[in-house]
Amino acid sequence: MPLNRRRFLKKSAVTGAGVAMASAVAAPAARAAEAKKGHRPAKRYSFTVMGTTDLHGNIFNWDYFKDAEFSDAKGNARGLARVSTLVDEVRREKGRRNTMLIDAGDTIQGTPLTYYYAKVDPITAPGGPVHPMAAAMNAIGYDAVALGNHEFNYGIETLRKFEDQCDFPLLGANALDAKTLRPAFPPYFMKTFHVKGAPPVRVAVLGLTNPGIAIWDKAYVQGKLTFPGLEEQAAKWVPRLRSMGADVVVVSAHSGSSGTSSYGDQLPYVENSSALVAQQVPGIDAILVGHAHTEIAELLVTNEKTGKTVVLSEPLAYAQRLSLFDFELVFAKGRWSVESVKATVRDSKTVADDPKITKLLKDDHDIVVAYVNQVVGTATEKLTTVEARYKDAPIIDLITKVQEDVVRAALAGTEYASLPVIAQASPFSRTSEIPAGEVTIRDLSSLYVYDNTLVAKVMTGAQIRAYLEYSAEYFAQTAAGAAVDVEKLTNAGGRPDYNYDYVSGLSYDIDIAQPAGSRIRNVTYEGAALDDARKFVFAVNNYRANGGGAFPHVASATEVWSESTEIRTRIAEWVTAKGVLDPKDFASVGWKLTRDGTPVF
């Protein structure tokens, strides 16, 4: 589908869409001080920007993997139906004409609901359905949404169709056409609030997405789109927005605030750079932060060039929170200026679902519930991921076995058919379970929660050894004889579970008494010590193959095969073909944790 700027050209920056009328609101303390001095009170105006991020297809407070209401230990609630209630609450308090609603990306991927309408009953099919997320967000009344990296998971055609179904623009100032280097999506959105007895207030929203898209979804975007850094593009666009009359500039950034990256030095841009944007680029008043899935009610960052404070807020993912930026403006010397900004969050668990959203999307929801509860096989025993992050668990071996079989069949009859096939998989979930007895799509989907696809790379024994060593950094160093607390044993340095890999087909020990970088011991293949020069076909997910997690060698390794079918689908096909899910067909003990040669468990 052509990458054009039709939305950008169709919606000019001064569209005035959603023009509002409101009365000037004076800050009480300032108004009293002015009256005391005998001055006429200055014109003031208050408005609120509401923000969500990382919705990931959550419309209802429902866990499709458990076939039950979502719940966690903290009593959180999820879903746009809850957010809709919060939004209505704020609009009643502030006056709808004094508010706007934006999002910081990752909208159309993350639940079986979004998968179903991308792959099973795709919105791209002739006469296809309206995407449930478009329907919900249109009904709630979003003004603008920044692109997230997961917007690209199903390809550009699906994203463009979703864009066409939305009543609001998808923003991406740093999502450029690879050939023209012009914006492929609208860079910004401008909303005008009219104030009684004073000039209107213009609020610009600049949308920035994540440069990591170039790595994570390379198969879809390479040669079509390019993603320069957020700081660079913010420095380009913020002055333009100010020169075009923006009184307030808000950035919606699908980029965390930590200043870190998960893709090493593969790109010259920082993945989580929202705080750097605030620090380095003058003229920004507030930033809605996304991507990191953390809750930051309010973060104050001082701009190093102006000394002014920029207010950041990141609401908790999955529509669990709603951020509010409350602005106070004053009109002086012929212009509006920001007097103060305060950020807070509101909690979805404090309200009920909005019945208008429930009614609107109930049929879509019910269709997906029925889909995920289809029975595809029978398990001889219960399999669980509860201990999978520190013990070799059969349930993860199922993933690697499926990947090995798919790649081996794909390479049959090729020059690579004689090479041994090994595979990687991560313990994504700590709560996934395949019960004994009937196995459903839902059970298998909970095991593989991401929409990753499969890639085959050729790597040497030495490269695989380095890969394992890097993966083993996931464990906290624990001296021999010291007590082992499994809650503190993993996630060293903040590394998430999805960036720890099993590698099948090999046998190896991870000595956690040793420092990171010196832990892999006794690596064997088919009973013999691993030959560093031997070549293997490595079956990996596309996230890892493209450099996600910054594992060594894999991104630069020769790619010999790839496909667009999700690994989750391949698992369901494998189980359906077998009929019976029996660990003897896939389970093996390939690795274990040790300390000075003694097993930890």
Side-chain angles (χ1 to χ4, degrees), residues 419-435:
L419 294 181
V421 178
I422 59 178
Q424 62 78 223
S426 304
F428 293 134
S429 167
R430 298 187 180 190
T431 59
S432 179
E433 178 181 301
I434 298 175

Side-chain angles (χ1 to χ4, degrees), residues 535-557:
K535 290 184 177 181
F536 295 84
V537 172
F538 196 27
V540 299
N541 67 53
N542 64 303
Y543 174 78
R544 191 71 79 235
N546 291 334
F551 278 63
H553 305 299
V554 65
S556 59

Side-chain angles (χ1 to χ4, degrees), residues 312-343:
L312 283 66
S313 183
E314 181 176 5
L316 195 58
Y318 313 132
Q320 294 179 94
R321 304 288 187 273
L322 176 72
S323 282
L324 272 62
F325 295 92
D326 290 311
F327 286 83
E328 295 282 348
L329 273 61
V330 62
F331 188 75
K333 298 181 180 179
R335 61 184 292 270
W336 287 104
S337 60
V338 175
E339 194 169 53
S340 66
V341 188
K342 180 175 177 58

Side-chain angles (χ1 to χ4, degrees), residues 228-418:
L230 282 81
E231 303 98 311
E232 169 193 323
Q233 292 301 300
K236 173 182 177 180
W237 281 103
V238 171
R240 289 189 186 184
L241 296 175
R242 290 292 184 181
S243 69
M244 290 159 49
D247 301 294
V248 178
V249 174
V250 177
V251 173
S252 184
H254 194 74
S255 179
S257 61
S258 65
T260 61
S261 291
S262 67
Y263 42 67
D265 59 359
Q266 295 174 76
L267 287 176
Y269 313 118
V270 177
E271 177 183 346
N272 295 300
S273 63
S274 287
L276 295 174
V277 171
Q279 182 184 54
Q280 297 175 16
V281 181
I284 298 170
D285 297 298
I287 300 179
L288 175 65
V289 179
H291 185 61
H293 290 214
T294 59
E295 182 177 350
I296 303 173
E298 184 179 68
L299 174 65
L300 305 180
V301 176
T302 301
N303 184 269
E304 61 187 13
K305 296 179 181 177
T306 65
K308 292 184 177 180
T309 299
V310 184
V311 180
L312 283 66
S313 183
E314 181 176 5
L316 195 58
Y318 313 132
Q320 294 179 94
R321 304 288 187 273
L322 176 72
S323 282
L324 272 62
F325 295 92
D326 290 311
F327 286 83
E328 295 282 348
L329 273 61
V330 62
F331 188 75
K333 298 181 180 179
R335 61 184 292 270
W336 287 104
S337 60
V338 175
E339 194 169 53
S340 66
V341 188
K342 180 175 177 58
T344 55
V345 294
R346 296 202 180 184
D347 196 329
S348 293
K349 71 183 178 186
T350 64
V351 296
D353 287 353
D354 183 340
K356 79 171 183 287
I357 302 300
T358 302
K359 182 179 180 180
L360 180 66
L361 278 308
K362 183 180 185 302
D363 288 348
D364 292 345
H365 168 73
D366 289 347
I367 288 169
V368 175
V369 169
Y371 166 74
V372 299
N373 280 289
Q374 291 180 77
V375 175
V376 294
T378 303
T380 60
E381 62 184 75
K382 184 173 79 172
L383 302 170
T384 176
T385 59
V386 171
E387 298 179 326
R389 67 192 188 279
Y390 51 85
K391 290 183 180 179
D392 189 342
I395 197 169
I396 308 300
D397 294 335
L398 171 61
I399 301 173
T400 57
K401 172 61 174 172
V402 170
Q403 293 181 173
E404 286 178 16
D405 284 0
V406 170
V407 168
R408 197 173 284 115
L411 296 180
T414 73
E415 62 182 299
Y416 303 102
S418 62

